[in-house]
Amino acid sequence: MMKMKIPETIPNKNKDLENNDECYTPEYAIIPLLPYLKKEWKIWDCAFGSGRLAENFKKNGFEIIGNDNLNFFDENLDCDFICTNPPYSKKDEFLERAFNIGKPFAFLLPTKALGEKKRNFLYRKFGIQLIIPDRRINFEIPSKKKAPWFHTSWFCYKMNLPKDLNFVEINP
Ligand SMILES: C[S@@+](CC[C@H](N)C(=O)[O-])C[C@H]1O[C@@H](n2cnc3c(N)ncnc32)[C@H](O)[C@@H]1O
């Protein structure tokens, strides 16, 4: 009898989108964060990329530092708050690095990034609060035409949000 070849992984046509490290953050995504930020804060985008998120903060009157040549794992810039949309292939590493730096931070991550062993350990050790939008954020993805199929939330540390889970409306 002929044996059927079983693929090692089930192909997921959307997987490459979620793993895409180059997805840039539109302005409306930062609006729910703004009430929790102080205007005098210096914000470090530690995964700067094309600078899209940085532009959005600048438009809203914030000083933003960082550039695309800096490696987050080698730098510790003088700032009050770290904010980025990290490369999703390095979620755990970015979270661990940010927790160890110890400054307030907000990372825009797939909402399901609440799970998994390593992250669970970090959240138990340091704590985490979420801002959860009522719809998916439509990133700008240079290599793809498609909108992301996954939902993202702001994963916040030391931001003193009113609740651990903060459900918000956003207006694209
Ligand atoms: C999802 S994009 C976000 C870009 C921008 N922050 C935004 O939100 O529009 C993530 C960026 O992280 C950059 N990146 C990857 N590894 C990095 C590292 N170790 N240190 C700093 N940036 C890194 C990638 O080049 C990519 O441009």
Side-chain angles (χ1 to χ4, degrees):
M1 197 172 68
M2 216 172 76
K3 270 197 179 162
M4 203 170 79
K5 197 169 172 245
I6 300 169
E8 278 171 31
T9 52
I10 299 164
N12 176 346
K13 61 184 168 42
N14 290 314
K15 197 74 189 159
D16 59 332
L17 252 187
E18 192 179 350
N19 285 341
N20 196 315
D21 286 352
E22 298 301 327
C23 46
Y24 303 132
T25 312
E27 185 179 6
Y28 69 85
I30 68 165
I31 303 300
L33 279 180
L34 300 182
Y36 305 105
L37 310 185
K38 298 202 172 100
K39 272 285 173 193
E40 66 272 17
W41 276 3
K42 197 194 286 183
I43 303 175
W44 175 21
D45 182 346
C46 64
F48 202 84
S50 69
R52 185 77 169 87
L53 181 65
E55 274 167 35
N56 298 332
F57 275 114
K58 274 188 200 148
K59 263 202 242 170
N60 284 276
F62 289 91
E63 181 185 354
I64 182 121
I65 53 171
N67 68 59
D68 197 24
N69 298 319
L70 301 179
N71 183 341
F72 185 40
F73 303 101
D74 297 336
E75 307 289 340
N76 188 353
L77 301 193
D78 176 31
C79 68
D80 303 289
F81 174 59
I82 300 174
C83 186
T84 201
N85 170 4
Y88 293 156
S89 63
K90 300 174 192 151
K91 292 190 265 302
D92 289 354
E93 294 84 351
F94 264 68
L95 281 164
E96 185 173 37
R97 172 85 181 132
F99 279 126
N100 285 328
I101 289 176
K103 301 242 169 92
F105 73 77
F107 281 178
L108 191 58
L109 290 170
T111 308
K112 69 176 185 181
L114 272 173
E116 307 300 340
K117 201 173 170 64
K118 169 111 189 216
R119 273 167 257 153
N120 187 296
F121 169 77
L122 293 170
Y123 302 146
R124 276 185 283 132
K125 182 170 175 189
F126 293 99
I128 200 77
Q129 295 187 309
L130 263 69
I131 298 177
I132 304 167
D134 64 347
R135 65 196 74 190
R136 279 181 235 155
I137 289 166
N138 207 355
F139 297 108
E140 293 161 15
I141 304 178
S143 57
K144 309 274 185 254
K145 295 278 179 280
K146 252 161 110 177
W149 65 275
F150 53 96
H151 182 273
T152 49
S153 295
W154 287 105
F155 284 59
C156 303
Y157 175 61
K158 282 192 181 166
M159 286 179 62
N160 297 319
L161 303 183
K163 298 178 191 164
D164 287 343
L165 300 180
N166 299 274
F167 295 93
V168 295
E169 270 185 318
I170 53 169
N171 298 303

